Amino acid sequence: MAAVKDGPEATAHIDAYLASLPADQARLLGALRRIIATTAPDALEAISYGAPAFRYRGRPLVGYAGYRDHASLFPMGPEVLDALADEVADFRTAKGTLQFTAERPLPDTLVAEIVRRRMTIIDGGPGA
C-alpha cells in the first residue's frame, strides 16, 4: 500500500497539484474538493496513491485526480457506484472510478451523495 499523508502536508501538496493543472481542470477539481469538504467537514485531506483524497475516521473516504482527457472521482470501492448505477449511467465508469470532464462535470448532488454513502459505510451502516 502506498504511503498516505494527511493534514497540512497533504493540503499543501494538493494546492500545488491543482495549481499545476490546466485552468479548466484546476477549477473542476477545486470545485469537487470544496463539495467533498463541505459534505464531510470532519474528513481530513490526504494523499493516497499519489492522488488528492480525503480520509474519514482514519479510513479512505474518496479520492480524485485529473488526467489529459478527463477527471476521476474514486469512491474507494465499487459498492457506491453499484448502488448509484442509475445516477452514474451517463458517465464513464470503471472499477472504482467515475470519470467526468469540465464540459460534463458531476452534479454537486451526486458528489455529495457519494460522499455521504462512503461515510455511512465507514461508520458501519448500510451505505449501498
Side-chain angles (χ1 to χ4, degrees):
M1 180 178 273
V4 175
K5 53 185 167 181
D6 58 24
E9 181 182 0
T11 297
H13 181 87
I14 294 167
D15 289 343
Y17 171 79
L18 293 176
S20 74
L21 296 173
D24 62 338
Q25 285 259 338
R27 278 191 301 277
L28 181 68
L29 293 180
L32 185 70
R33 180 187 194 188
R34 285 186 293 280
I35 295 162
I36 297 166
T38 299
T39 306
D42 294 333
L44 292 175
E45 287 195 292
I47 302 299
S48 182
Y49 296 97
F54 281 83
R55 293 177 60 77
Y56 173 71
R57 297 192 176 189
R59 294 188 50 205
L61 180 62
V62 294
Y64 57 95
Y67 301 95
R68 185 171 53 94
D69 296 326
H70 69 279
S72 288
L73 176 65
F74 307 105
M76 305 299 186
E79 306 89 359
V80 173
L81 293 182
D82 291 347
L84 296 173
D86 290 342
E87 291 85 345
V88 301
D90 292 338
F91 296 94
R92 199 156 118 199
T93 59
K95 188 176 181 178
T97 304
L98 182 58
Q99 298 177 357
F100 55 101
T101 64
E103 294 78 26
R104 186 159 169 78
L106 296 174
D108 295 357
T109 55
L110 177 58
V111 173
E113 182 63 18
I114 289 168
V115 171
R116 281 192 296 272
R117 285 176 180 255
R118 279 291 300 148
M119 290 169 61
T120 299
I121 291 169
I122 292 168
D123 288 337

